[in-house]
Amino acid sequence: MNNQNIESVLQEARKFEPSAEFIEKSNFKSLQEYQDLRERSLEEPEKFWADLAQSQLHWFKQWEKVLDWQPPIAKWFVGGKLNISYNCLDRHLHSWRKNKAAIIWEGEPGDSRVITYAQLHREVCQFANALKQLGASKGDRIAIYMPMIPEAAIAMLACARIGAAHTVIFGGFSREAIKDRLNDAQVKIVVTADGGYRKDKVVPLKPQVDLALSDNGAPSVEKVLVVQRSNSPTEMVEGRDYWWHELRKSVSSECQAQEMDSEDMLFILYTSGTTGTPKGVVHTTGGYNLYSHMTTKWVFDLQETDVYWCTADVGWITGHSYIVYGPLSNGATTVMYEGVTRASNPGCIWDVIEKYGVTIFYTAPTAIRAWLKMGEEHPNSRNLTSLRLLGTVGEPINPEAWIWYHRVIGGERCPIVDTWWQTETGGIMIAPIPSVIPTKPGSCTQPLPGIQAEIVDLDGNGLLANQGGYLTIKYPWPGMMRTVYGNPERFRKSYWEHIQPKDGQYFYFAGDGAREDEDGYFWVMGRVDDVINVAGHRLGTMEIESALVSHPAVAEAAVVGKADSLKGEDIFAFITLESSYSPSDKLAESLKQHVVEEIGAIARPGEIRFTDALPKTRSGKIMRRLLRGLASGGEIVGDTSTLEDRNVLDQLRESI
Ligand code: PRX
């Protein structure tokens, strides 16, 4: 978080109460009712979650044990059998919900589809049967690399239905990022589309898969299932590649949901950490189903008639939990949007809200800042009165953006839920229950029921109000990640050893600094590790550095985050060149393009600076703290005595 943001957070001290009208129609009508629930969740956590699992989900077989906690390994609802696709589909078919809109899809250019629960069930069954025909079975890993079309959600639910774990790869990633994920997860089948629409253009997707698979790049992959979306010319490899629209002609629209063990793997989702390649975060069936279900209900005050829209991409955890699984498990209507705001259509978001009468709208601060810059005439010229609740996720929100969102989009009547959570947590952890917890701009407010969050120092000691420290969770919750795929040691090291466990107390820590104010409100300040948050996308500096050094001109690369008023952070890369190359704007441009080709456009460095050498300690470690200071144009604070060669720093300073 940049200094300016921190200052404005500190200056904003207003509290916003929900309106009487909102409270009257909400699920929790009094603070007391909510506090009782929260207290119960802390006093008897296992009973609390077991009661909810019983009343909210369908189980083929009841569990034998609610929680098996052998830190840091947690197992929830041990021995229970269920299927999340059954909970998202089949159980809604026995009521009038059968003909309720499950997915409202607004596509590009001007396409749209409304899919009822009965139709979605049929499509998912067909897709599941097509996957089976291609050889998929329980326990296999299937990658989904898709644009924002209903088939992305259908493919996820189809995998879940047959017990194959999906790993969704964001459609903006390119060949190397795809290849890494396919290999790490040992993927058997890839589901993709010929292309997708992005900002008035068709972006080819299947060719990226072909690149990733070329030269035997991912030998575990046997088949590729291709959805026709953009009608782009597409090369199909005989015996490997199949069109979905052709296979579906011959498959049944009935497919019984596989009975899954509560702890069977549901999906792997890759996310960036401080070191190494992205980590395959593993989520399992029962706990994730319950946690995404409950948090959707609590935080969004979800009701039967809501039209709920989360603008994330299904390639991220937000799309998994709050476009697909959470809303559908609750039998809600979820909107999926293929487009994004662009200069040629600055009002497209507001058109979708008006067109479908969206009542709940969940988005990222970076998007809000972009809309704010585009001007309020766009939302003001649309009817947004259907909205009753707004949400944000992905990064700290600066009060200016919060107030604009509240005033211009929410018409000063909609509470804003600022939701803190992570890929690893599976669902929202800290956020207001909108009808009972007043909000403060910039604060995600208080932990949800069952969540024991605490800000501590490195030794696990609790801190005083407003003292900055590490944001940790002290007790397991059903939606927590279970492991890093194929690397349990990395799971332990990355998340459970940063804060020393003591006297049997383990602290889950995944990289954020925060403080708790005198009212018990949490203020997340941002990452304290080498992860950068660019426009709400989480990127590891090391991944970008590896992409840069794979270019023949680059000898060494160091990447840091630089504060950016729109994106939150931007990527700033310091480069030393191989001796036969010399710095030029053209080379900088081609290095940026190289990163786009290797990882994807989201990882494109905003700025590249060539330097003769990088500042290092005597033991050869790059001193990123110094580089961060230089990139932000600020003074370098702190100790520089461990620097091997002070001239390097002076040179860099001059060049900037
Ligand atoms: O730094 C926090 C930030 O996003 C990180 C998690 O990123 P990811 O796993 O990609 O999941 C994003 C969507 C859940 C966190 O470690 N973050 C997320 N939500 C907030 C946030 N920072 C501040 N406020 C939030 N509401």
Side-chain angles (χ1 to χ4, degrees):
M1 196 180 196
N2 63 40
N3 286 338
Q4 194 191 338
N5 280 352
I6 289 175
E7 265 167 35
S8 56
V9 165
L10 295 178
Q11 280 159 15
E12 179 56 65
R14 275 184 287 174
K15 233 180 178 176
F16 290 76
E17 305 276 348
S19 69
E21 195 192 345
F22 185 89
I23 298 171
E24 199 196 311
K25 294 187 185 144
S26 67
N27 293 334
F28 286 103
K29 296 206 170 37
S30 78
L31 182 59
Q32 192 58 50
E33 184 190 345
Y34 172 65
Q35 275 172 342
D36 289 349
L37 179 87
R38 188 161 155 72
E39 249 160 57
R40 217 168 354 108
S41 79
L42 301 179
E43 276 162 18
E44 290 184 289
E46 292 185 29
K47 181 169 184 324
F48 172 78
W49 290 116
D51 287 350
L52 292 172
Q54 186 76 61
S55 64
Q56 301 289 318
L57 301 184
H58 167 273
W59 296 81
F60 297 116
K61 180 177 166 277
Q62 172 90 4
W63 55 89
E64 282 133 29
K65 191 168 185 203
V66 181
L67 171 65
D68 179 1
W69 176 225
Q70 298 185 26
I73 310 292
K75 292 183 181 156
W76 283 91
F77 312 113
V78 182
K81 301 267 185 206
L82 77 165
N83 185 295
I84 196 169
S85 119
Y86 187 98
N87 275 316
C88 288
L89 301 169
D90 306 49
R91 64 173 171 154
H92 305 312
L93 304 183
H94 309 308
S95 71
W96 68 271
R97 274 191 193 148
K98 185 176 172 183
N99 293 320
K100 177 177 176 176
I103 296 179
I104 294 178
W105 175 68
E106 182 70 12
E108 300 274 301
D111 290 352
S112 63
R113 265 169 88 185
V114 176
I115 305 174
T116 65
Y117 273 95
Q119 289 167 332
L120 186 60
H121 175 259
R122 246 189 335 265
E123 296 255 341
V124 168
C125 285
Q126 279 191 309
F127 212 101
N129 284 329
L131 290 173
K132 278 192 196 166
Q133 200 167 313
L134 294 181
S137 58
K138 184 169 183 247
D140 286 340
R141 275 83 53 219
I142 297 182
I144 300 175
Y145 177 65
M146 293 277 262
M148 278 293 285
I149 56 176
E151 283 75 9
I154 291 167
M156 290 164 76
L157 290 159
C159 289
R161 195 159 189 90
I162 61 173
H166 55 69
T167 181
V168 183
I169 302 175
F170 172 57
F173 280 128
S174 344
R175 61 182 182 210
E176 281 305 309
I178 301 171
K179 194 157 92 180
D180 287 347
R181 286 158 175 77
L182 296 181
N183 283 315
D184 191 80
Q186 287 293 291
V187 164
K188 187 170 183 183
I189 298 175
V190 180
V191 177
T192 188
D194 48 357
Y197 290 88
R198 188 118 193 125
K199 294 197 177 176
D200 308 315
K201 276 198 325 227
V202 169
V203 180
L205 291 174
K206 167 74 165 47
Q208 290 292 336
V209 174
D210 290 338
L211 281 173
L213 297 182
S214 64
D215 300 328
N216 208 20
S220 62
V221 174
E222 294 172 11
K223 306 278 191 233
V224 179
L225 181 56
V226 189
V227 176
Q228 195 169 42
R229 166 66 190 131
S230 57
N231 290 313
S232 326
T234 302
E235 276 179 36
M236 301 291 276
V237 176
E238 174 99 37
R240 187 195 76 181
D241 302 348
Y242 296 81
W243 285 109
W244 156 236
H245 62 272
E246 284 174 4
L247 273 196
R248 76 181 297 174
K249 287 182 201 150
S250 61
V251 289
S252 153
S253 55
E254 274 172 38
C255 172
Q256 215 170 359
Q258 175 86 35
E259 293 194 9
M260 300 293 285
D261 194 277
S262 176
E263 279 300 326
D264 276 339
M265 183 161 68
L266 174 64
F267 66 83
I268 307 170
L269 188 58
Y270 285 83
T271 192
S272 303
T274 304
T275 54
T277 48
K279 293 174 279 207
V281 170
V282 170
H283 284 287
T284 57
T285 307
Y288 176 83
N289 193 165
L290 180 65
Y291 200 68
S292 55
H293 179 101
M294 287 320 304
T295 48
T296 308
K297 207 177 171 93
W298 285 331
V299 178
F300 299 108
D301 187 49
L302 198 65
Q303 311 202 0
E304 195 65 61
T305 51
D306 275 316
V307 178
Y308 163 94
W309 181 18
C310 164
T311 65
D313 189 284
V314 289
W316 309 113
I317 191 69
T318 311
H320 284 54
S321 302
Y322 300 112
I323 294 178
V324 182
Y325 291 118
L328 295 178
S329 181
N330 278 285
T333 297
T334 179
V335 176
M336 263 180 104
Y337 183 48
E338 193 183 20
V340 286
T341 309
R342 63 269 195 196
S344 64
N345 193 355
C348 59
I349 297 290
W350 322 120
D351 284 337
V352 176
I353 293 179
E354 184 176 86
K355 180 170 174 187
Y356 297 109
V358 170
T359 57
I360 302 170
F361 182 63
Y362 187 33
T363 195
T366 189
I368 298 169
R369 289 193 293 267
W371 297 325
L372 184 155
K373 281 209 173 146
M374 287 178 138
E376 50 186 273
E377 64 272 23
H378 305 296
N380 284 349
S381 58
R382 272 76 172 183
N383 182 354
L384 304 182
T385 52
S386 58
L387 289 171
R388 67 180 193 94
L389 179 66
L390 303 174
T392 72
V393 61
E395 50 180 324
I397 182 163
N398 49 313
E400 188 197 357
W402 197 102
I403 297 291
W404 185 88
Y405 196 33
H406 176 70
R407 180 176 61 80
V408 179
I409 308 307
E412 295 184 351
R413 73 182 176 278
C414 305
I416 296 179
V417 289
D418 175 346
T419 63
W420 177 84
W421 60 294
Q422 310 174 300
T423 306
E424 293 88 342
T425 67
I428 298 168
M429 301 291 280
I430 310 183
I433 300 295
S435 56
V436 293
I437 306 287
T439 52
K440 299 183 186 185
S443 166
C444 51
T445 75
Q446 299 181 9
L448 291 180
I451 301 306
Q452 301 186 22
E454 191 176 351
I455 293 163
V456 299
D457 64 17
L458 273 181
D459 298 321
N461 302 310
L463 299 175
L464 297 174
N466 291 318
Q467 261 189 322
Y470 300 100
L471 176 50
T472 66
I473 313 293
K474 292 171 57 178
Y475 192 81
W477 65 103
M480 66 197 275
M481 74 181 286
R482 298 300 194 259
T483 190
V484 171
Y485 187 71
N487 200 342
E489 206 30 48
R490 195 168 174 201
F491 171 62
R492 186 183 289 273
K493 278 217 177 94
S494 308
Y495 301 104
W496 298 95
E497 288 181 358
H498 192 82
I499 315 286
Q500 275 301 312
K502 60 172 183 210
D503 307 330
Q505 174 64 62
Y506 274 69
F507 296 87
Y508 165 82
F509 173 68
D512 281 315
R515 68 183 169 90
E516 187 181 336
D517 72 13
E518 53 291 340
D519 296 333
Y521 277 50
F522 284 70
W523 300 76
V524 177
M525 309 310 257
R527 305 286 304 196
V528 295
D529 54 9
D530 286 329
V531 168
I532 41 187
N533 193 329
V534 184
H537 297 316
R538 178 170 158 185
L539 293 163
T541 49
M542 207 169 134
E543 291 158 72
I544 308 166
E545 287 163 6
S546 310
L548 283 165
V549 294
S550 73
H551 189 284
V554 177
E556 248 188 330
V559 164
V560 294
K562 178 189 175 186
D564 182 277
S565 64
L566 204 60
K567 299 180 186 173
E569 277 185 294
D570 201 0
I571 299 164
F572 197 113
F574 293 89
I575 303 280
T576 62
L577 290 173
E578 293 288 352
S579 54
S580 53
Y581 290 83
S582 27
S584 70
D585 289 348
K586 201 165 153 234
L587 181 58
E589 195 47 42
S590 69
L591 293 182
K592 289 180 186 175
Q593 194 48 36
H594 180 71
V595 177
V596 172
E597 281 160 23
E598 294 283 305
I599 307 178
I602 53 167
R604 182 188 170 89
E607 236 172 298
I608 283 190
R609 233 10 100 86
F610 296 107
T611 166
D612 291 340
L614 292 168
K616 290 186 184 162
T617 60
R618 279 176 207 111
S619 58
K621 247 183 114 192
I622 294 173
M623 294 184 74
R624 289 169 188 286
R625 177 172 53 83
L626 303 186
L627 293 175
R628 270 196 292 270
L630 284 169
S632 303
E635 269 309 295
I636 292 171
V637 285
D639 187 16
T640 55
S641 62
T642 52
L643 195 61
E644 187 195 36
D645 178 359
R646 287 202 58 89
N647 292 332
V648 172
L649 193 58
D650 295 336
Q651 262 178 22
L652 268 168
R653 221 187 242 130
E654 259 169 45
S655 80
I656 288 178

